[in-house]
Amino acid sequence: MHEISREEVLACLPRREADTNKGSYGRVTAVAGSMAYRGAAALCCESALRTGAGLVYLASVEPVIQLVLTRTPECCALPCRTDADGGVLAADAAAVRQRFSGTSAVLLAGPGLGESAGRVLNALCGIGAPWRGAVLDADALNAIAAGDLGTTPFLPRDTVLTPHPGEMARLLGTTVEAVQADRPGAVQRCARRFQCVAVLKGTGTLVAAPDGRLVRNTTGNPGLARGGSGDVLAGMLAALLAQGLPAFEAAYCAVWLHGAAADACAARTSQMTMLPHDILADLGRILGNAGR
């Protein structure tokens, strides 16, 4: 199994050219957050911006929008009405999909969506969806596993699924123990079943493509074992997709950078005290040292 290297990641990363503007670096449309889970949206939006996306839009309920703009005023707000479960109203999610018709935006959906995720994902995806790529994480994965998008979900092209072992077990209809006993087999089955790139998070995160390509990551540490780490990874991945990297390359670059930044953060603070948003400062140092 091939292990991701620093050299191949840095070779893949886009460069910032002199004669460019915000439109040159892609759009990320994050549909994230709910009344119960507000911080997830803040983490994924900030990480998308910090990883180079030219424009990041957040479609969410008003309290989430307020939190995110306080922390990251560079984010563009798409306020949505609140449904009975405290999440984004599906009709407003459908309006978001329509708003980006004819663009090349990347969809980031799932973090913090809560019980509304199935209805929201149905409104965003399906035949004719405008997205040039998608990162589906957290509650979006649970909606897919529950069959909310049907037995054979029609996902956007260049979709990346980012499950942890529990979510992978639900996607494959098996147990966490079975997933962990054969992690390479599980991630490859997921990639084939959903015809997308699959990322199986955990120690030695694996990235698989439907055509059989499989790589293993060696960066990262137990300091990432806390809520919010996956939201940061999802935002990083969406940003790289938006900047034009193919889905498989965007996934393994994001995974490696996420882990490398976490290693630098643990050395700077500690595995016990580091928080997911702390690693963004270390990501900046890694990219800065690489001339990005």
Side-chain angles (χ1 to χ4, degrees), residues 248-262:
F248 185 69
E249 285 77 3
Y252 75 64
C253 286
V255 164
W256 187 91
L257 287 167
H258 184 254

Side-chain angles (χ1 to χ4, degrees), residues 55 82 93 127 149 164 167 210 221 246:
L55 289 161
T82 307
I127 296 172
L149 274 71
H164 57 57
E167 292 161 342
N221 61 76

Side-chain angles (χ1 to χ4, degrees), residues 3-291:
E3 292 187 350
I4 307 165
S5 72
R6 179 181 188 274
E7 291 72 25
E8 63 188 324
V9 169
L10 296 182
C12 276
L13 293 181
R15 292 188 177 274
R16 311 293 280 197
E17 302 295 342
D19 188 17
T20 52
N21 56 64
K22 60 189 176 184
S24 305
Y25 300 103
R27 297 174 174 84
V28 173
T29 302
V31 186
S34 60
M35 297 297 286
Y37 305 107
R38 306 183 188 187
L43 291 169
C44 68
C45 287
E46 181 174 355
S47 66
L49 284 161
R50 296 285 186 185
T51 315
L55 289 161
V56 175
Y57 299 84
L58 173 63
S60 194
V61 298
E62 280 283 4
V64 173
I65 295 281
Q66 292 170 16
L67 169 66
V68 172
L69 291 184
T70 298
R71 181 177 177 84
T72 314
E74 298 87 351
C75 191
C76 304
L78 299 173
C80 299
R81 291 170 290 178
T82 307
D83 72 4
D85 291 317
V88 172
L89 189 70
D92 287 1
V96 169
R97 167 177 163 156
Q98 182 61 33
R99 186 188 194 282
F100 287 92
S101 179
T103 72
S104 58
V106 166
L107 174 66
L108 166 55
L113 282 180
E115 297 298 321
S116 308
R119 298 186 293 274
V120 169
L121 208 57
N122 264 303
L124 292 169
C125 297
I127 296 172
W131 317 111
R132 71 151 304 276
V135 178
L136 303 182
D137 186 38
D139 291 319
L141 300 175
N142 293 329
I144 293 170
D148 292 343
L149 274 71
T151 55
T152 307
F154 190 93
L155 302 176
R157 63 189 176 96
D158 290 329
T159 288
V160 183
L161 305 182
T162 56
H164 57 57
E167 292 161 342
M168 181 65 84
R170 291 190 284 275
L171 287 168
L172 297 178
T174 186
T175 64
V176 172
E177 291 76 16
V179 167
Q180 294 293 73
D182 183 13
R183 286 172 57 84
V187 73
Q188 289 178 311
R189 287 196 301 277
C190 182
R192 289 194 301 268
R193 177 173 177 179
F194 296 102
Q195 285 299 294
C196 65
V197 171
V199 175
L200 177 54
K201 296 183 286 195
T203 303
T205 292
L206 299 173
V207 181
D211 62 10
R213 287 175 292 169
L214 176 67
V215 295
R216 179 177 182 270
N217 185 47
T218 57
T219 63
N221 61 76
L224 288 171
R226 48 174 51 85
S229 293
D231 303 321
V232 172
L233 174 62
M236 293 172 63
L237 212 169
L240 294 178
L241 268 180
Q243 290 170 82
L245 269 67
F248 185 69
E249 285 77 3
Y252 75 64
C253 286
V255 164
W256 187 91
L257 287 167
H258 184 254
D263 289 340
C265 187
R268 178 172 59 86
T269 58
S270 75
Q271 292 183 10
M272 183 174 290
T273 62
M274 61 186 279
L275 294 177
H277 74 265
D278 291 335
I279 76 170
L280 294 174
D282 299 281
L283 174 66
R285 295 185 183 94
I286 290 170
L287 295 178
N289 290 337

